[in-house]
Amino acid sequence: MPKFSVQPSDTVANEGDPVILHCLAEGDPLPIIQWDKNNELNGFNHQRFKVLENGSLYATEINADDEGKYGCTAGNSGGLRRHEVSLIVKAKELNTNRIGRGGFGNEEESTMTKTVTITLGAAGIYIILVVGLMMWCRYRRARRKAFMLAQATADAENSDVHDMELKDRNPQKTHNDTNACEENAELIKNAELNKLLFPREKLSTVMLLGHGEYGEVFLAKAEGLTGDSSDSVVMVKALENKGDNVVAEFNKELTMYSKMKHENVGTVLGLCQDTKPHYMIMDYTDWGDLKQFLLATRPEEVSKAPKQAPLSVPQNLMICQQVAVGMEYLAKQFTHKDLAARNCLISSNMKIKISCPCLSLDTYAQEYYQHQSKVIPLRWAPFEAVMGNNWSAKSDVWSFAVLVWEVFNKAELPYLEMSNEDVLQKLQAGKLKLSIPEDAPESLVKLLERCWSQNPSERPTFSEVVAVFVELSVAVQM
């Protein structure tokens, strides 16, 4: 029997406006949706009315005679289900007083005057905003420049080496305004980051992984990175995008991951800034990212990569537990914002590291969506992050639950049958929900339901998540 996932509702519309009557149904087999008006099948104007692919009824322009009862019928081999709603059309109101006094000519003149006034007002506001933004940017750059100069001076006082570097600097760089933007784009040099400096000539490219927000991301061999003459395979993120916000995010990521000291969290191993573009060198694993590993465990997967045996439930839980432990540590430092299987690494001994390749521009472009001028992992993000740009540890908890779903479903794309627009619509309506994996233990099912709570305050902390997985690991071993 078909079941309505979204029922149509009574609608009031103004004459001449477009209208959509939502009607979505689900069932096995997939139901066919038909519409009727006043109990007459397809009894509406087909030039202005169209039944969309998802079953909703869309009208480009509503007329007064379109008012009436509209019925949505979903049917398949299991039976029929129908829901009827009312469409009320409000007529356009004319300003009869104005017509009586001066006719349509005066009304058109008044409308033109209002249009010109609004346009000029909007232009004035735009100019004020632009000037204000320029002044704010100059102030921000001046403060950043002063901070960098103060930092350099402090380093010079504490180190003879830094003192020599300051003496060798070209003094014109601190006074030449034409170089201000270039100076602001430089990484802040401090004692901690100086320890990470690594010669670019000791890096040799192995293969390109893809492109992210900053630029290219590739694998490389680093000679002597660990203190001996051996080569280490590392992941390199190049800073090729010179936008101020991008540079600031690159510096923030560099600073934060250089402080990470946890077996389940990736870390910055080196920094190349002798020439441009600057390189951030991060650790990598012999089996690469978790998504590709999970894809290789699929029985039907056809690829040149070595095949992996399908994972058992205890192995799935072990992987998820390591991610939870890593996130418990990381959440105390900052918000990840892009937790997913593609951004975790796995080694041949099944050890997991949370990392940040973030290949949003090509390799995993289908897993990202441009919304409000930002590229976001829509299918892994909760409502408050997508619509309000409110990212927090609780939004990472939501993303973690989606990652657990990925692990149990062998890296299947969440909401595979839905377009990004449909996912966004369901998320806004509070009706976006993933199916619970069939082989998931009952306590894990309850945990996932809490993680996907619409209210962030009702989601568990990562410490609570870790506690659940500890109990699960004990239970499966008994």
Side-chain angles (χ1 to χ4, degrees):
M1 176 71 72
K3 177 183 177 182
F4 285 113
S5 55
V6 176
Q7 283 189 346
S9 57
D10 293 339
T11 302
V12 178
N14 293 320
E15 186 176 3
D17 288 350
V19 168
I20 183 168
L21 299 178
H22 294 286
C23 184
L24 280 72
E26 57 188 25
D28 187 15
L30 188 66
I32 296 175
I33 292 179
Q34 292 185 320
W35 285 85
D36 61 81
K37 178 188 175 186
N38 296 329
N39 293 319
E40 181 183 348
L41 185 64
N42 297 324
F44 39 78
N45 189 317
H46 290 274
Q47 293 182 345
R48 291 180 291 104
F49 282 77
K50 178 183 178 182
V51 179
L52 303 180
E53 291 183 3
N54 64 2
S56 298
L57 183 64
Y58 173 70
T60 56
E61 183 180 351
I62 286 294
N63 293 342
D65 56 2
D66 294 325
E67 186 171 290
K69 297 285 187 178
Y70 286 78
C72 174
T73 303
N76 62 11
S77 58
L80 298 174
R81 192 175 293 274
R82 184 175 185 275
H83 189 78
E84 187 176 86
V85 295
S86 297
L87 174 61
I88 300 174
V89 181
K90 288 187 175 180
K92 288 186 176 179
E93 296 181 358
L94 295 176
N95 193 335
T96 54
N97 292 334
R98 174 174 291 278
I99 294 174
R101 292 196 302 267
F104 286 103
N106 290 338
E107 183 178 4
E108 291 178 356
E109 290 179 5
S110 176
T111 302
M112 181 62 70
T113 302
K114 289 180 180 179
T115 302
V116 172
T117 302
I118 292 173
T119 303
L120 292 177
I125 293 173
Y126 176 77
I127 292 173
I128 293 173
L129 288 175
V130 171
V131 172
L133 182 62
M134 291 175 62
M135 294 178 65
W136 179 79
C137 288
R138 291 186 64 182
Y139 169 74
R140 181 185 175 192
R141 289 175 178 175
R143 287 196 61 183
R144 188 187 299 177
K145 185 175 179 181
F147 174 76
M148 293 172 66
L149 183 60
Q151 183 70 44
T153 303
D155 289 345
E157 292 175 353
N158 296 328
S159 171
D160 292 338
V161 176
H162 290 174
D163 188 75
M164 291 298 294
E165 289 178 353
L166 287 173
K167 289 181 180 179
D168 291 339
R169 285 181 183 167
N170 184 350
Q172 293 181 351
K173 286 187 178 180
T174 59
H175 300 286
N176 189 349
D177 291 337
T178 61
N179 291 333
C181 292
E182 183 176 350
E183 289 179 16
N184 289 336
E186 295 294 329
L187 292 172
I188 299 175
K189 298 179 180 179
N190 55 47
E192 290 297 323
L193 293 184
N194 283 343
K195 296 177 183 178
L196 297 172
L197 294 179
F198 187 77
R200 189 184 300 257
E201 60 269 16
K202 291 189 176 183
L203 278 179
S204 56
T205 302
V206 175
M207 63 175 291
L208 179 68
L209 293 176
H211 294 77
E213 179 184 11
Y214 309 135
E216 284 189 348
V217 181
F218 58 91
L219 291 185
K221 288 184 178 180
E223 179 185 350
L225 182 63
T226 57
D228 52 27
S229 58
S230 62
D231 291 344
S232 303
V233 177
V234 295
M235 179 178 69
V236 179
K237 301 181 74 171
L239 178 59
E240 297 172 321
N241 189 327
K242 296 299 182 183
D244 283 349
N245 291 337
V246 175
V247 173
E249 285 296 319
F250 184 88
N251 291 341
K252 180 180 177 181
E253 186 175 306
L254 172 66
T255 302
M256 295 307 300
Y257 276 97
S258 65
K259 298 176 181 178
M260 297 295 103
K261 306 296 180 186
H262 193 280
E263 63 177 352
N264 296 122
V265 180
T267 187
V268 173
L269 302 176
L271 171 66
C272 298
Q273 61 175 128
D274 43 358
T275 58
K276 293 181 179 179
H278 293 159
Y279 287 167
M280 183 195 312
I281 305 173
M282 300 191 70
D283 51 359
Y284 202 69
T285 55
D286 52 352
W287 278 5
D289 75 63
L290 178 59
K291 183 178 180 70
Q292 292 302 317
F293 169 79
L294 292 171
L295 288 173
T297 63
R298 291 183 175 184
E300 73 279 6
E301 183 69 16
V302 178
S303 67
K304 297 180 181 179
K307 294 294 297 180
Q308 302 293 335
L311 297 177
S312 63
V313 171
Q315 287 176 316
N316 287 338
L317 293 175
M318 179 186 66
I319 290 174
C320 297
Q321 181 176 348
Q322 291 183 73
V323 176
V325 171
M327 285 303 301
E328 181 185 25
Y329 170 82
L330 189 146
K332 299 174 183 177
Q333 317 293 327
F334 66 104
T335 304
H336 192 286
K337 297 184 182 181
D338 196 4
L339 182 61
R342 62 183 173 271
N343 288 326
C344 293
L345 305 176
I346 184 169
S347 62
S348 53
N349 60 356
M350 299 292 284
K351 293 297 183 183
I352 302 294
K353 280 182 177 288
I354 300 167
S355 190
C356 55
C358 303
L359 307 177
S360 58
L361 299 185
D362 44 24
T363 306
Y364 291 124
Q366 67 166 347
E367 302 191 4
Y368 292 86
Y369 178 68
Q370 186 162 355
H371 178 66
Q372 297 179 350
S373 74
K374 292 184 178 181
V375 178
I376 61 172
L378 173 64
R379 296 168 187 262
W380 283 260
F383 176 86
E384 76 273 6
V386 174
M387 305 308 300
N389 197 31
N390 184 14
W391 301 88
S392 65
K394 291 306 180 76
S395 63
D396 278 348
V397 167
W398 176 293
S399 303
F400 168 79
V402 181
L403 184 150
V404 173
W405 185 92
E406 286 186 276
V407 172
F408 275 82
N409 287 277
K410 299 180 176 60
E412 180 179 321
L413 181 67
Y415 320 107
L416 179 61
E417 302 300 325
M418 298 171 60
S419 67
N420 286 324
E421 290 72 20
D422 290 339
V423 172
L424 182 61
Q425 184 182 19
K426 289 246 182 181
L427 183 65
Q428 291 173 322
K431 297 180 179 179
L432 190 64
K433 187 175 182 181
L434 283 168
S435 59
I436 299 298
E438 294 181 358
D439 52 353
E442 183 179 353
S443 55
L444 178 59
V445 172
K446 293 180 179 179
L447 176 65
L448 294 179
E449 291 174 346
R450 290 181 61 199
C451 292
W452 288 326
S453 173
Q454 297 299 319
N455 187 347
S457 63
E458 295 178 359
R459 297 173 201 154
T461 64
F462 276 110
S463 296
E464 292 177 285
V465 172
V466 170
V468 172
F469 275 97
V470 170
E471 292 177 0
L472 281 169
S473 63
V474 173
V476 297
Q477 292 174 6
M478 293 178 63

